[in-house]
Amino acid sequence: MKRKVWTVFPACLILAVLMIPMSAATLMYDKILGVVELCVTAVVVTAVFIMALRFRNYIREVAQSAMKDCYSPAHKALEAMKTPVAVCGTHGELIAYNAMFRKAFLNDEDDSVNTHISRFIAELTPEEAVKRGSFDAEYAGKRFTVFGRETEHGMLFEFVDDTYYKNIADQYNDTKTSVALIVFDNIEDFSADAEQEAAAAHLAAENILYGWATNRNILLRRFGENRYIAIFEEAVLKQEMEKKFDLLDEIRAVTYNGRPATLSIGVGHECATLTDSASQARKALDMALGRGGDQVAVLTGSDYVFYGGVAKGIEKTSKVRVRAVSQEIADAISRAEHVLITGHRYSDLDCIGASAGMYALVTKKYNKECHIVADVNRTMASDMIEKLSENRRDMFISPESGMLLTGPRTLLFIVDTQSPDFIEGDRLYKNCGNVIIIDHHRKMVNFIDTASLFLHEPTASSTCELVTEVVEYLADDVLSQMEAEALLAGIMLDTKNFVISTGVRTFEAAAFLRKKGADTVAVRNVFANSLENYRDKSLLVSSAQIVNHCAITVADDTTRNSRVVCAQAADDLLSIQDTYASFVISRIDNRTVNISARSFGKINVQLVMEALGGGGHQTMAAVQLKDVSLEKAKEMLIDVLEDVNIL
């Protein structure tokens, strides 16, 4: 019986009782009308009587079924229970309860009229509560563990008051310590300048950091020129995560000569000991720096959570790191029996150019057998591959042929990618005895962590730039004109003809390649377009939609050379006024949809693509979505772009 029916029963009963004398009075003045009223009164009284019987039987059934279903013969009364217990009807209406329930929830007053059990179990419906079996609830400042079960004709809920224990557990969790390692990404650029303004900016940034620590009771100590260690409680970390580490914004507000100060933080979280937390913090900091800095990486177990990462990476003008790694690369090549080079699937000019540069180094400087593993049928650099392999037919081999050359003494170079999901031949790196990665993309969570050496600089314009520096340091006379042009084409592709992600080292690498015979006109012709591709690209650009200063366009299945055309369309869309990023959606195959993302740096497209499960660089990223339509992929992208926390 629904609660609305039996709650009005008292009113119906009073009405029926009043109708009897009223009908008798009417009968004295008008017999016909009186008889009619008596008949109506009889019907009403009968209905009220039936209602009363049903209500009484309903109450009895609910209470008895609860007793029968839940309690042993020794405990046949609710009052025998040592915890608050409530019996409810099938719709959650309160039927019966013991004294402890009344004291805890009804203030010792009979306040059960029209009371529903959902009042005491937060936002759960009675059905959801019973399905869960046990759940937490709070009421009047107390915390309960509630056990719910379904009876034959209703529901029964038992409330266990464990406020004290839950408060103790929260206090314990809030006082657990975490360790953070903090690095100023570019403070040396400030401190290296003799100007007083630079020194003042340096000091201002440090003061913000120390003020942040003092205000939050964080133990902060410096252990290097620009490195710090912080120890704080879990409650502090929760507050900072809720604020999305707004410390990054405060530090970024300090500038000198237009250069903002940036901070990278790695946090080790929920570890058994402080030593483990410090080790996790080290990994988290490496991840934050590998993604370009200006961000916080919180590592819990094997899961990362990132905050920040909106500023452009600060270019490192020093080549000390490259020179140190170059010597290790030389040693690894000398020890290897075979050398293989591979990159990402659907290889582009940066991937092929970097592979060609390493191929020249290995074969000409060290006289080692070497092959580039690439699927020449699925590439965006087919013209370059054809030119490079004119006189060396065995330069490029298929992933299947590459597997035959793997072994414990095989050295594998992976260029322009670090993800096992994107590599050409996903089993290749697992069967090689030594793996070296050369990449400029921001570090991904699922990077290949089994590599013995990782030459990774996210501020570099391209992988070709890094390979050029390695070649220049180890053997500057091994590049042919064609190989130099391949490296230069890769740099031009990723910098959009030296427009974005271009630093001093980028022009130094280009100058070196030009000295080695790279013909800029020939390189420019590599990017020449056919008339059909130009038409398809123009159609994509003209059909773009603008969302939050981002251009979005969708390529249909009739677009030829879709990967090449879509990449070119993404570049051209950036030329639209007030457009900070561009996204081109296309279908790779029947199951896979690709989204290519580009920006000039104002929007970090890597964060956008990571939100969809992809990755890449701050100015160039992508994602592949399985089993979704083009329209669904567009909706997913727009949902991410409308999230202000991403942009």
Side-chain angles (χ1 to χ4, degrees):
M1 182 182 297
K2 291 187 178 181
R3 187 183 63 173
K4 290 184 178 179
V5 175
W6 60 261
T7 52
V8 299
F9 170 73
C12 295
L13 180 61
I14 294 173
L15 178 63
V17 172
L18 292 177
M19 288 179 66
I20 295 175
M22 291 174 61
S23 301
T26 303
L27 186 63
M28 295 175 60
Y29 295 98
D30 190 332
K31 292 185 178 181
I32 297 177
L33 183 59
V35 170
V36 172
E37 285 191 9
L38 283 174
C39 292
V40 172
T41 300
V43 172
V44 171
V45 170
T46 303
V48 170
F49 180 73
I50 294 173
M51 186 185 301
L53 289 177
R54 291 186 61 190
F55 177 55
R56 186 185 65 177
N57 292 336
Y58 174 67
I59 297 298
R60 183 187 298 114
E61 286 179 353
V62 171
Q64 289 179 350
S65 66
M67 297 300 181
K68 178 182 177 181
D69 190 72
C70 301
Y71 301 106
S72 65
H75 300 84
K76 293 185 177 180
L78 292 176
E79 297 301 336
M81 298 299 295
K82 303 302 182 182
T83 55
V85 178
V87 178
C88 304
T90 55
H91 299 280
E93 65 274 22
L94 197 62
I95 300 297
Y97 46 82
N98 62 4
M100 295 191 69
F101 183 89
R102 173 181 294 182
K103 182 177 180 180
F105 296 95
L106 301 177
N107 297 322
D108 288 328
E109 298 178 5
D110 189 4
D111 190 26
S112 62
V113 178
N114 287 334
T115 299
H116 198 272
I117 193 63
S118 60
R119 169 182 167 188
F120 312 112
I121 58 175
E123 299 178 354
L124 292 176
T125 65
E127 292 78 11
E128 292 173 340
V130 169
K131 185 178 294 185
R132 289 194 183 186
S134 64
F135 54 93
D136 294 330
E138 293 187 23
Y139 187 81
K142 293 185 178 181
R143 305 172 71 178
F144 300 88
T145 298
V146 186
F147 299 92
R149 68 174 69 181
E150 189 173 4
T151 64
E152 186 178 353
H153 295 287
M155 292 173 279
L156 182 140
F157 294 94
E158 180 181 359
F159 294 76
V160 178
D161 186 350
D162 49 9
T163 305
Y164 174 77
Y165 300 103
K166 286 182 176 178
N167 289 343
I168 290 294
D170 286 349
Q171 184 178 359
Y172 168 74
N173 290 327
D174 287 344
T175 55
K176 287 195 297 186
T177 53
S178 298
V179 176
L181 296 179
I182 304 172
V183 173
F184 276 105
D185 300 324
N186 61 332
I187 207 66
E188 65 273 8
D189 295 340
F190 288 35
S191 58
D193 199 315
E195 295 291 336
Q196 291 184 354
E197 293 180 5
H202 182 179
L203 183 61
E206 281 195 321
N207 286 340
I208 291 174
L209 179 60
Y210 279 112
W212 168 79
T214 301
N215 293 335
R216 291 160 178 78
N217 292 322
I218 296 174
L219 176 62
L220 180 68
R221 292 292 182 267
R222 173 193 272 184
F223 66 95
E225 183 181 357
N226 64 336
R227 293 176 176 267
Y228 306 81
I229 185 170
I231 300 176
F232 45 83
E233 295 181 343
E234 176 77 10
V236 175
L237 179 60
K238 288 181 179 178
Q239 293 174 3
E240 291 303 304
M241 293 173 72
E242 290 175 358
K243 296 177 181 178
K244 301 189 182 300
F245 282 90
D246 52 6
L247 170 68
L248 298 175
D249 299 326
E250 296 179 38
I251 294 292
R252 203 181 301 116
V254 178
T255 60
Y256 173 66
N257 281 347
R259 295 174 295 176
T262 60
L263 202 67
S264 293
I265 304 176
V267 180
H269 180 223
E270 291 189 358
C271 297
T273 65
L274 282 176
T275 303
D276 293 339
S277 294
S279 177
Q280 293 285 80
R282 175 73 263 177
K283 294 179 182 178
L285 179 61
D286 289 342
M287 178 62 71
L289 293 172
R291 291 164 55 87
D294 183 44
Q295 58 192 280
V296 179
V298 180
L299 177 57
T300 305
S302 59
D303 298 326
Y304 286 92
V305 179
F306 299 101
Y307 301 90
V310 299
K312 288 185 178 180
I314 306 300
E315 179 199 3
K316 293 178 173 58
T317 57
S318 173
K319 298 182 182 180
V320 174
R321 164 70 176 161
V322 172
R323 289 174 179 172
V325 174
S326 296
Q327 190 55 55
E328 295 184 56
I329 289 175
D331 295 340
I333 296 174
S334 300
R335 295 192 303 266
E337 185 176 299
H338 296 92
V339 179
L340 298 176
I341 305 169
T342 191
H344 54 78
R345 294 193 298 269
Y346 297 100
S347 52
D348 56 13
L349 288 172
D350 188 30
C351 178
I352 296 301
S355 300
M358 292 306 299
Y359 178 89
L361 176 66
V362 172
T363 57
K364 298 176 185 178
K365 170 68 175 179
Y366 299 96
N367 297 316
K368 296 283 184 176
E369 181 183 354
C370 182
H371 301 280
I372 300 175
V373 180
D375 188 343
V376 297
N377 297 317
R378 296 196 304 172
T379 179
M380 294 190 291
S382 55
D383 291 342
M384 182 61 70
I385 291 176
E386 185 177 344
K387 291 179 181 178
L388 287 169
S389 56
E390 282 181 354
N391 300 320
R392 292 162 292 187
R393 292 297 175 185
D394 63 343
M395 182 178 184
F396 292 90
I397 61 175
S398 66
E400 293 76 15
S401 299
M403 284 296 299
L404 301 176
L405 299 175
T406 59
R409 297 197 61 188
T410 300
L411 170 62
L412 174 66
F413 284 100
I414 300 176
V415 298
D416 205 35
T417 187
Q418 56 188 267
S419 171
D421 299 330
F422 300 154
I423 189 175
E424 191 83 82
D426 54 1
R427 293 188 297 121
L428 201 61
Y429 77 95
K430 297 179 181 178
N431 292 352
C432 291
N434 194 8
V435 176
I436 297 176
I437 297 176
I438 305 176
D439 188 27
H440 75 114
H441 295 102
R442 294 191 171 196
K443 188 173 285 187
M444 303 177 67
V445 172
N446 64 331
F447 69 97
I448 301 173
D449 57 1
T450 56
S452 62
L453 193 60
F454 205 140
L455 177 53
H456 176 241
E457 290 198 14
T459 59
S461 69
S462 58
T463 306
C464 283
E465 178 185 318
L466 294 174
V467 170
T468 300
E469 291 178 346
V470 172
V471 172
E472 184 180 7
Y473 179 71
L474 293 178
D476 65 354
D477 58 348
V478 298
L479 293 179
S480 67
Q481 178 180 346
M482 191 66 246
E483 291 157 347
E485 289 177 355
L487 286 164
L488 184 58
I491 294 175
M492 292 179 64
L493 172 71
D494 277 13
T495 60
K496 305 297 180 290
N497 294 328
F498 300 97
V499 173
I500 62 174
S501 301
T502 306
V504 174
R505 288 168 60 178
T506 309
F507 287 107
E508 289 177 350
F512 171 77
L513 296 172
R514 183 70 182 90
K515 186 170 66 173
K516 294 303 172 184
D519 186 349
T520 53
V521 176
V523 173
R524 184 67 184 87
N525 289 335
V526 173
F527 298 93
N529 229 340
S530 68
L531 181 60
E532 291 78 10
N533 285 358
Y534 190 86
R535 286 172 176 166
D536 290 339
K537 181 186 69 174
S538 300
L539 182 61
L540 284 176
V541 173
S542 63
S543 61
Q545 171 187 353
I546 305 298
V547 177
N548 280 357
H549 298 284
C550 298
I552 303 173
T553 188
V554 180
D556 58 30
D557 295 335
T558 63
T559 303
R560 293 153 291 194
N561 299 319
S562 61
R563 294 188 71 93
V564 175
V565 171
C566 290
Q568 294 173 346
D571 293 337
D572 284 5
L573 284 170
L574 291 177
S575 62
I576 298 176
Q577 188 176 9
D578 292 330
T579 299
Y580 304 150
S582 62
F583 301 88
V584 180
I585 306 171
S586 62
R587 183 170 292 284
I588 298 177
D589 52 44
N590 292 333
R591 292 191 56 197
T592 310
V593 171
N594 181 75
I595 303 179
S596 295
R598 302 287 188 273
S599 82
F600 283 139
K602 192 165 186 177
I603 291 178
N604 188 343
V605 292
Q606 179 199 17
L607 297 180
V608 178
M609 293 295 97
E610 282 184 340
L612 294 171
H617 199 268
Q618 185 175 17
T619 58
M620 185 183 301
V623 64
Q624 284 79 45
L625 303 174
K626 294 290 186 181
D627 299 321
V628 299
S629 65
L630 292 172
E631 285 302 317
K632 179 61 177 178
K634 182 178 179 181
E635 291 176 8
M636 294 168 63
L637 174 61
I638 291 176
D639 288 342
V640 174
L641 293 178
E642 290 178 345
D643 183 354
V644 294
N645 295 325
I646 291 292
L647 302 183

